[in-house]
Amino acid sequence: MSDIATALGGARYEGFALVEEAQAGGMIALRGDWADLGSALSAALPLEMPQTRHIVTDGERSLAWMSPDEALVFLPVDEVAETVRRITESAGDAFVTAIDVSDMRAVFRISGEGTGPREVLSKLCPVDMRSIQVGELRRTRLSQVPAAFWIGSDGTITVICFRSVAAYAFEVLTRAARAGTEVGHLAS
Amino acid sequence: MSRRLTSGGRYIDRSAPQGFTFDGTTFEGYAGDTLASALLGAGVTLVGRSFKYHRPRGILAAGPEEPNALVALGPKERTEPNQRATTTELFDGLTARSQNRWPSLKHDVGALNQAVSKFLPAGFYYKTFIQPRHAWKHLFEPIIRRSAGLGPAPTHADPDEYEHLYDTADVLVAGGGVAGLTAALAAGRAGKRVLLVEQMPHWGGRLVTDALPDAKEEAGETVAALLSALEALPNVHLRTRTMCAGIYDHGYVLCHERVSDHAPAAGIPRHRLWKVRAGQIVVATGAIERPIAFPMNDLPGVMLAGAVRDYVECYGVTPGDTVVIVTNNDDAYRTALSLKAAGIAVPAVVDARGAADGALPAMARAAGIDVRTGQGVAKVLGKTGVEGVQLCAQGSAGEVTDTIACDAVAVSGGWSPAVNLWSHCGGKLRWREDAAWFEPDADKAPTGADGRAFVAVCGAANGRMGARDAATDAAGVGAAAAGGEVPGDLPGVPDAPEEAPLEPVWLMPADAQIEAREKMWLDFQNDVKVSDVELAAREGFESVEHTKRYTTLGMATDQGKTSNINGLAILAKALDEGVPQVGTTTFRPPWTPLSFGSIVGEAKGSAFQPLRRTPMDSWHEARGATWEPVGHWRRPYCYPRRAESAEEAVEREVLAVRNHVGILDASTLGKILVRGPDAGRFVDMLYTNMMSTLKPGRCRYGLMCSENGFLMDDGVVARIDEQTFLCHTTTGGADRIHAWMEDWLQCEWWDWKVHTVNLTEAWGQIAVAGPKARKVLESLGGMDLSAEALPFMGWADGTLGGFDVRVYRISFSGELSFEIAVRAGQARALWDRLVAAGDAHGMAPYGTEALHVLRAEKGFIMIGDESDGTVIPQDLGLDWAISKKKDDYLGKRAQARMHMTDAGRWRLVGLETLEGEVLPDGAYAVSNEKDEWGNTRTIGRVTSSYRSPTLNRGIAMALVEKGPERMGEVIDFPIPGADPIAARIVSPVFYDPEGEKQNV
Amino acid sequence: MLKLRCPCCGLVADETELSPGGEAHLVRRGPEAEDDAFEAYLFLRDNPKGPHLERWRHAYGCGKWFIAARDTATMEVFGTYPAQTKGPPAEIVDKIRDRVPGWTAPGEAT
């Protein structure tokens, strides 16, 4: 069996912020009533259920709210199959769908000084980047493609989008991050 | 001759000369100059030609309201036409060219239009060029197009960068004059997040320029104090060179920042478009001075009085050595004082009012300036520049009473609040009779999502013309916008003398005769004169909106900033109505033009649209694929080998599949998981056929229709288990169909237990098709792919060459075919393995065109070819895929409508050309019979047409009236410029009608 | 350029994050429908200058459909509510009636 390739093979660009394609890792899409998801996950994953529009992280595992009846699990890729099995099993009769979507998305990390990482996204997303809190998950539009992002406690922003548009997303992110184009508006 | 003063000019840095060229001649200005001030400083007063008559035009204003001084900037390959010299900041190396003249600005052939101006009145297009009809297209329009218009469009793609920026503000303040600064400070002190934007590079607006000499220092301190107070607030963001372009619903504001126009640099965006969501918007955009309509008021050298003192005080230049002031108000006396202080001769202030006894006229008289009340201008003398003015009594018909030699005229017809932004989102105006202007009606403000006002106006834009009054107004408005109190410690604004009221003067002299009115310009850019508006009124254009369009008043790139009120007043007079009864035109965004580049932002070049790439994309690229865009995807069209044409490549690829084996990247196909206890019921509603009876492990082809009954998508459905279906969609259809499913599940059948997950991008998918397909796959080792283990229309999970795969036995080519799904992150690796394994079997990669030919040979329909949004499955002979047993499915009721069951519908057939030629795609078939009007009747249309390499002839599919009933009939397809092509109606299945080859 | 609060996830979304879906609360007519009723379902739409109940999907967000009560002339938004309902909630009707006395939702008996 071959390794799992990311869309861009770990592309990287350094402007006033650093934009890097990350290893996608494992992802599991979940659908079901929120309460059903909570009970199914409680036995399968050592994470609290996130609040609406939030993500909870513990080490290598995260659990993201995606919609009122949809969650996304991030975990090491070799845990995916077993976790899907455990979720399905613990769901029992509850109507819960769990499916491996590890290869469906591209993941980018944006890091840098001050408001730099937020500013990169403020050029591309119709979002008030000042108001985004650590742990908040925002699904939105990244220029012309759907994307979601959240800000970690170290200020690094993680952006996910669909795999097929990874090159497009990387291009607009790097254009927005070009050195010399800082605006500084988020500092006020 | 330089008009640069020896001292003064607080915006310029005389130690930093900047070279620039205008029409190829090199000049020098200073850092801080605008192109307009630099041109004036260099003695250039003729800067352009007007739109219609090609009249010589000079600089009228000093800001964005400028109608005349439009130039093309930049070298030819990156030219930007119609830029205002008055808002263009000078930099070393700037190149500018005048516009709308040929062969040169001084000697312009188009100026002959003036000689025939009597024959070019308002609406002349409509009147002159009606007959003969054909002459419009071939004679008049080309000539008019060449002679009209302003600067030439650029000939090269824009090489510059632009970007967007999304921001939010509790309070956005537009305008950085004393009102805007004060409003922002009041709002900022209330703790709200404030964004203050100013279109020009400087703060303070007119405050310092308009202060009297002994108050200038104090005025400068006021601006500095306001700025430093604002800069100290962390919740306030200040931005110069940023123009508030438009205000839209729900507090959406567009601001256009000129990031590097004044200092071009590689890698830095030229413009940045701010897309701001503001809670409250404070408009502090000041006021615009109006010219006065007097004969020959368009000569270069006639300039707005406020602009004259801008040039003197801010840039240290003067429009002339001897300047006559023409006014109907006290404010213009400031210009007289400015000029006098700078040592410029001011022979007279010509004041149309009967008396001028205010403080400012008194100061002018004290400075030794001759004030002539009750007087007007009978005519400005000169050809390409002002040489003098003839005076007359304002109340007369223009009998000349005196002549004064001068080389510039400073004119003021009063000021109009700049209410544009207030109006953009529905704010209404009221007419102030005493001041003769429209100002915002605060009771009729633009309202937002909560039904409450979200725009407020302050300062001069709100009709508060005095600086102190404006600042007081702004403090209240700014504080209110932030829901706070007016701060007690706002910097003081110097006092200014009381001004006497103006006297509206719309025509000078008041009884000017028609010959004089034909020389009075209202709209300088579009050459609209007093006589044109009067003509429009006489011809029945009573609505200002109609008059505007008929005369083109206010429709130029300046949008009538200096002409609307004057034009409106002339129209009102001609109609014997009051100005408010005639109404005002609605101001729409943008306030001043913004660049197309900024609107486009990052969406250009390779980021114009998202390009979707499959995991195998780089392989296709390395293999020299030509591309076909499908939705946002790019798919290989074919893989030409060296020296091979695309047609040859497609033929080779088709034959490879038919005779050996081919490999296709099918990753773009939509893959939507539909799962749940009600999944069977749901797919039965989505598809026209019975899907719920499909057995796990099996696949079935299905059709989806809209509620109109029209075919919208098709694809193979695989039943995964009792509760789970995997629905394949067309390449372009995945997102649309997924949204369609969710729409029905969320909004109609929300009690059905069904989940959908769009898995399109989770898997790569590879089709291996052809007689040797099984051999290729088996050579990788792994799962049993025998006909017994995996029969046609079955699927199975397993491994191939160590990869976890799901293999579908489905065929879109009519050959033995496997579609292999593999996780996207391994799709390229599996592809490489298959390609290597295929070598021994003569395998070729094939693209979408070979795919199309293969499917057409088999008579398989293609969504978007055989369907076009008006075709129902029954038209395509797909009745076998429409369940008769189901009570309901989406589109069923519509397919029973009268027109859908009409026996005369066009239906799918195959076509064989009699000579084997290839029919043009989209060709129409005609009937030999004529219809009731004697016209040839169209009876069909080619939907797909290819040269079939397999059959070595042209084949086509077509929709033909009652087609299936006409098997064997020969019909004609007329070809423009050639003989019709005759084709015989046959079955659309040209190859292997029994389906034996795919089922082995 | 509207801003609408998605009632499903609570986010105030920009119009460019949403996709419109036309008039809300249409009642689907199936195979048994008479021609007139089916035509009305398929083609006939209100186009009021004033309050309008309209479908929106939070397409770039949580993906859920919802319904907005909006004045098409003033752009006032009276409220948004989830799509799983046959008509507007009472508090939204009250808010609309504050502006337009006597307003009734389409299809509602007067």
Side-chain angles (χ1 to χ4, degrees):
Chain A
M1 168 157 155
S2 286
D3 290 340
I4 297 156
T6 65
L8 305 178
R12 188 175 184 279
Y13 173 87
E14 189 158 12
F16 68 80
L18 177 65
V19 181
E20 298 167 287
E21 193 204 13
Q23 196 65 40
M27 293 185 213
I28 300 168
L30 293 164
R31 290 207 60 180
D33 286 347
W34 202 246
D36 290 342
L37 291 182
S39 25
L41 281 168
S42 62
L45 204 66
L47 287 170
E48 295 288 306
M49 287 297 278
Q51 298 295 306
T52 299
R53 289 187 282 111
H54 279 75
I55 180 168
V56 293
T57 299
D58 184 7
E60 290 179 281
R61 295 170 197 81
S62 296
L63 178 54
W65 176 100
M66 293 295 277
S67 89
D69 61 356
E70 188 181 352
L72 187 61
V73 181
F74 299 82
L75 73 178
V77 74
D78 53 10
E79 294 178 12
V80 169
E82 174 60 14
T83 308
V84 167
R85 195 193 60 73
R86 286 220 301 265
I87 293 169
T88 308
E89 189 181 280
S90 66
D93 288 339
F95 179 36
V96 166
T97 297
I99 186 151
D100 178 1
V101 292
S102 303
D103 293 13
M104 196 154 95
R105 292 183 172 89
V107 180
F108 298 97
R109 302 220 195 280
I110 311 173
S111 54
E113 293 297 306
T115 56
R118 288 176 188 250
E119 187 175 318
V120 172
L121 290 187
S122 80
K123 294 180 181 182
L124 302 168
C125 306
V127 172
D128 178 6
M129 287 306 298
R130 278 185 201 79
S131 70
I132 302 292
Q133 306 290 316
V134 170
E136 186 177 345
L137 180 130
R138 183 66 150 88
R139 297 183 74 174
T140 184
R141 173 173 67 75
L142 180 84
S143 195
Q144 299 178 59
V145 294
F149 67 84
W150 61 93
I151 302 180
S153 48
D154 64 347
T156 299
I157 301 181
T158 304
V159 180
I160 58 174
C161 68
F162 287 116
R163 180 188 191 99
S164 66
V165 293
Y168 170 85
F170 185 69
E171 176 167 2
V172 295
L173 285 168
T174 54
R175 281 197 198 191
R178 266 176 317 182
T181 69
E182 304 92 322
V183 183
H185 61 300
L186 296 175
S188 65
Chain B
M1 180 193 61
S2 172
R3 292 272 170 73
R4 186 74 69 173
L5 300 167
T6 50
S7 65
R10 65 179 194 280
Y11 290 167
I12 58 167
D13 177 359
R14 289 177 192 257
S15 69
Q18 311 278 304
F20 70 100
T21 68
F22 180 66
D23 282 344
T25 307
T26 301
F27 298 97
E28 203 164 81
Y30 295 119
D33 260 327
T34 63
L35 176 59
S37 68
L39 284 167
L40 281 175
V44 178
T45 51
L46 173 62
V47 295
R49 292 267 173 181
S50 65
F51 182 75
K52 189 160 135 189
Y53 302 134
H54 291 243
R55 287 186 53 91
R57 285 295 153 77
I59 295 159
L60 182 74
E65 69 272 34
E66 174 63 37
N68 286 343
L70 303 183
V71 296
L73 292 177
K76 277 230 161 69
E77 65 277 10
R78 70 195 307 167
T79 186
E80 189 180 27
N82 308 333
Q83 296 305 296
R84 281 158 185 71
T86 52
T87 55
T88 299
E89 291 180 65
L90 193 68
F91 59 87
D92 199 48
L94 180 149
T95 57
R97 276 163 293 128
S98 59
Q99 302 184 154
N100 205 32
R101 82 291 187 271
W102 186 84
S104 75
L105 187 54
K106 284 216 171 64
H107 308 282
D108 174 40
V109 169
L112 289 172
N113 284 1
Q114 293 175 67
V116 293
S117 66
K118 275 234 180 312
F119 309 104
L120 301 173
F124 81 103
Y125 292 105
Y126 314 116
K127 291 166 179 162
T128 314
F129 301 114
I130 290 174
Q131 298 296 341
R133 265 300 195 226
H134 64 269
W136 172 255
K137 187 169 176 200
H138 299 292
L139 182 63
F140 300 138
E141 194 185 6
I143 291 173
I144 290 170
R145 286 218 181 277
R146 208 169 306 136
S147 60
L150 297 163
T155 52
H156 291 59
D158 185 345
D160 290 315
E161 299 284 339
Y162 302 86
E163 67 181 20
H164 290 170
L165 187 75
Y166 297 88
D167 198 11
T168 55
D170 296 321
V171 180
L172 181 140
V173 181
V178 68
L181 290 167
T182 306
L185 185 55
R189 284 277 167 78
K192 291 294 166 68
R193 206 194 95 71
V194 178
L195 176 61
L196 171 60
V197 295
E198 162 57 40
Q199 61 190 357
M200 302 295 271
H202 307 282
W203 297 106
R206 304 198 59 84
L207 186 69
V208 176
T209 304
D210 286 359
L212 291 172
D214 59 354
K216 281 198 193 296
E217 199 180 324
E218 191 190 341
E221 286 162 6
T222 301
V223 175
L226 284 164
L227 262 183
S228 67
L230 284 164
E231 281 162 356
L233 292 175
N235 53 323
V236 176
H237 189 72
L238 304 164
R239 212 82 196 164
T240 54
R241 300 188 173 97
T242 303
M243 181 263 296
C244 182
I247 296 175
Y248 305 83
D249 300 320
H250 292 190
Y252 186 69
V253 185
L254 282 185
C255 298
H256 182 251
E257 180 181 7
R258 290 156 52 132
V259 181
S260 62
D261 271 350
H262 62 293
I268 305 296
R270 196 162 81 89
H271 298 154
R272 179 179 292 132
L273 191 66
W274 291 58
K275 299 176 164 190
V276 184
R277 285 288 186 178
Q280 290 286 314
I281 297 152
V282 175
V283 174
T285 45
I288 295 175
E289 197 166 24
R290 306 190 288 245
I292 293 176
F294 48 74
M296 305 299 282
N297 61 342
D298 71 326
L299 269 185
V302 177
M303 187 183 279
L304 291 169
V308 169
R309 58 182 189 268
D310 280 334
Y311 285 115
V312 169
E313 302 212 1
C314 301
Y315 305 102
V317 293
T318 175
D321 295 328
T322 309
V323 184
V324 169
I325 316 273
V326 182
T327 184
N328 64 347
N329 61 70
D330 275 7
D331 180 68
Y333 287 84
R334 296 182 208 275
T335 301
L337 295 167
S338 268
L339 287 166
K340 199 76 185 168
I344 305 297
V346 181
V349 175
V350 179
D351 194 327
R353 295 175 294 183
D357 303 326
L360 286 161
M363 291 170 73
R365 287 192 183 95
I369 297 170
D370 184 10
V371 175
R372 307 213 187 168
T373 53
Q375 295 285 295
V377 173
K379 189 182 184 185
V380 182
L381 303 173
K383 271 192 92 68
T384 57
V386 173
E387 290 165 17
V389 285
Q390 292 178 332
L391 302 188
C392 62
Q394 167 58 15
S396 73
E399 294 80 9
V400 176
T401 56
D402 196 3
T403 300
I404 305 176
C406 61
D407 55 1
V409 176
V411 58
S412 176
W415 294 75
S416 302
V419 294
N420 301 51
L421 293 178
W422 167 263
S423 300
H424 282 176
C425 207
K428 297 285 182 281
L429 305 173
R430 64 176 172 220
W431 177 250
R432 269 268 302 278
E433 196 69 49
D434 58 332
W437 65 48
F438 282 103
E439 65 183 24
D441 182 346
D443 294 335
K444 293 173 182 162
T447 53
D450 58 1
R452 287 199 278 270
F454 73 98
V455 183
V457 191
C458 67
N462 198 26
R464 309 296 183 89
M465 292 295 170
R468 185 175 275 186
D469 194 17
T472 307
D473 184 39
V477 169
E485 300 288 321
V486 175
D489 61 342
L490 292 176
V493 175
D495 200 7
E498 185 96 353
E499 290 181 35
L502 63 62
E503 188 178 298
V505 173
W506 309 119
L507 208 55
M508 178 179 274
D511 294 326
Q513 298 304 291
I514 182 64
E515 297 75 22
R517 302 203 302 274
E518 284 175 345
K519 297 292 177 204
M520 294 181 184
W521 267 258
L522 294 169
D523 184 322
F524 295 87
Q525 194 173 133
N526 268 359
D527 272 326
V528 181
K529 299 169 295 180
V530 168
S531 54
D532 293 320
V533 172
E534 291 171 340
L535 176 69
R538 278 202 305 283
E539 294 190 348
F541 293 91
E542 296 183 3
S543 151
V544 61
E545 297 288 357
H546 291 159
T547 298
K548 178 178 160 177
R549 280 154 185 83
Y550 190 59
T551 62
T552 72
L553 175 85
M555 291 175 69
T557 64
D558 64 330
Q559 288 286 289
K561 289 187 176 64
T562 55
S563 61
N564 274 335
I565 302 295
N566 286 352
L568 207 55
I570 296 293
L571 180 65
K573 189 163 171 287
L575 296 171
D576 202 17
E577 298 251 28
V579 171
Q581 282 71 45
V582 177
T584 180
T585 59
T586 306
F587 297 106
R588 297 185 202 287
W591 155 245
T592 57
L594 51 153
S595 59
F596 281 115
S598 68
I599 297 169
V600 168
E602 75 281 0
K604 56 185 274 189
S606 51
F608 170 60
Q609 276 190 331
L611 178 66
R612 301 179 71 180
R613 301 167 193 260
T614 73
M616 286 75 101
D617 184 84
S618 59
W619 189 91
H620 306 317
E621 188 163 331
R623 190 64 177 243
T626 60
W627 301 100
E628 177 175 17
V630 189
H632 282 162
W633 293 97
R634 67 171 187 181
R635 301 190 70 184
Y637 176 88
C638 64
Y639 302 85
R641 291 179 178 166
R642 217 146 54 90
E644 198 178 45
S645 71
E647 292 75 18
E648 290 164 345
V650 170
E651 292 224 11
R652 177 180 49 72
E653 291 170 15
V654 168
L655 293 172
V657 174
R658 290 276 179 247
N659 300 326
H660 307 284
V661 59
I663 185 167
L664 174 88
D665 181 358
S667 306
T668 57
L669 288 181
K671 311 161 197 82
I672 302 171
L673 190 80
V674 176
R675 182 177 177 273
D678 292 312
R681 186 182 178 195
F682 182 57
V683 291
D684 276 348
M685 284 304 293
L686 287 176
Y687 288 93
T688 57
N689 46 351
M690 192 73 91
M691 278 298 172
S692 54
T693 56
L694 186 62
K695 299 275 181 289
R698 300 292 296 165
C699 301
R700 187 173 286 165
Y701 174 73
L703 307 169
M704 277 191 225
C705 296
S706 66
E707 275 286 68
N708 273 297
F710 299 130
L711 183 59
M712 57 186 268
D713 210 77
D714 69 348
V716 169
V717 177
R719 187 146 200 182
I720 306 302
D721 59 35
E722 197 50 44
Q723 290 207 355
T724 312
F725 295 81
L726 185 69
C727 301
H728 289 96
T729 75
T730 57
T731 290
D735 294 328
R736 184 167 43 88
I737 297 300
H738 182 234
W740 168 251
M741 291 176 174
E742 282 293 322
D743 191 351
W744 288 102
L745 287 172
Q746 291 178 33
C747 303
E748 186 70 22
W749 305 310
W750 60 75
D751 52 337
W752 293 15
K753 283 179 173 303
V754 181
H755 291 151
T756 70
V757 183
N758 185 351
L759 295 172
T760 302
E761 304 207 15
W763 291 323
Q765 200 137 316
I766 302 166
V768 178
K772 296 175 186 164
R774 186 176 283 125
K775 283 204 176 77
V776 173
L777 266 52
E778 281 170 349
S779 72
L780 263 61
M783 59 197 291
D784 184 356
L785 296 168
S786 65
E788 296 71 38
L790 184 56
F792 184 54
M793 296 306 272
W795 66 267
D797 284 338
T799 61
L800 272 181
F803 293 88
D804 289 326
V805 293
R806 174 171 290 164
V807 181
Y808 306 88
R809 273 269 335 251
I810 53 180
S811 177
F812 198 41
S813 58
E815 298 299 333
L816 170 67
S817 168
F818 300 87
E819 289 203 7
I820 307 146
V822 59
R823 61 186 308 167
Q826 294 180 344
R828 172 64 195 275
L830 176 58
W831 175 273
D832 288 347
R833 287 281 294 281
L834 285 165
V835 168
D839 267 355
H841 303 279
M843 186 168 78
Y846 64 104
T848 51
E849 186 64 2
L851 171 83
H852 285 186
V853 175
L854 289 161
R855 66 91 195 172
E857 289 175 346
K858 277 291 291 177
F860 293 145
I861 63 138
M862 176 71 77
I863 297 292
D865 286 338
E866 277 61 49
S867 76
D868 65 356
T870 69
V871 170
I872 58 175
Q874 291 86 341
D875 297 337
L876 302 178
L878 295 168
D879 306 72
W880 59 269
I882 303 168
S883 168
K884 307 284 183 296
K885 293 188 206 143
K886 290 197 293 188
D887 291 338
D888 196 3
Y889 59 82
L890 296 176
K892 182 177 171 76
R893 174 62 183 86
Q895 287 164 1
R897 300 179 76 221
M898 199 194 326
H899 180 61
M900 303 297 191
T901 54
D902 186 345
R905 281 184 76 84
W906 291 10
R907 301 181 63 195
L908 188 74
V909 292
L911 293 172
E912 268 179 14
T913 51
L914 299 191
E915 309 290 334
E917 63 267 58
V918 180
L919 278 162
D921 207 352
Y924 281 95
V926 295
S927 159
N928 295 326
E929 338 145 9
K930 305 273 181 179
D931 68 9
E932 53 190 298
W933 296 284
N935 294 326
T936 312
R937 225 159 52 79
T938 306
I939 56 165
R941 175 171 59 85
V942 174
T943 56
S944 294
S945 178
Y946 304 97
R947 209 194 90 76
S948 162
T950 314
L951 307 171
N952 201 20
R953 57 171 301 128
I955 59 166
M957 293 159 87
L959 288 163
V960 175
E961 185 182 279
K962 300 183 182 178
E965 297 167 30
R966 304 163 74 158
M967 285 295 157
E969 199 178 307
V970 174
I971 55 176
D972 275 347
F973 291 83
I975 306 301
D979 289 338
I981 297 178
R984 178 174 290 111
I985 297 177
V986 296
S987 157
V989 186
F990 297 93
Y991 176 77
D992 186 27
E994 305 306 320
E996 288 162 352
K997 292 190 177 282
Q998 64 197 13
N999 195 8
V1000 291
Chain C
M1 185 83 128
L2 305 180
K3 251 185 347 184
L4 295 173
R5 185 184 163 278
C6 171
C8 306
C9 70
L11 196 72
V12 178
D14 192 84
E15 189 173 323
T16 61
E17 296 176 282
L18 305 169
S19 55
E23 188 179 328
H25 304 306
L26 298 176
V27 178
R28 179 167 187 265
R29 303 290 175 182
E32 66 295 331
E34 296 295 327
D35 276 355
D36 286 354
F38 187 69
E39 181 199 19
Y41 157 62
L42 206 52
F43 300 119
L44 302 187
R45 297 291 180 270
D46 283 332
N47 185 22
K49 181 182 181 183
H52 187 230
L53 306 177
E54 58 196 13
R55 284 155 29 89
W56 289 88
R57 183 176 184 233
H58 192 184
Y60 281 92
C62 71
K64 298 305 179 200
W65 283 95
F66 65 90
I67 296 168
R70 175 181 69 101
D71 188 307
T72 58
T74 66
M75 302 295 156
E76 180 169 359
V77 178
F78 305 103
T80 55
Y81 52 97
Q84 294 78 29
T85 170
K86 303 278 186 201
E91 64 268 23
I92 287 179
V93 174
D94 290 346
K95 258 181 111 171
I96 296 174
R97 284 184 184 156
D98 273 353
R99 292 278 184 196
V100 185
W103 181 84
T104 54
E108 187 185 328
T110 45

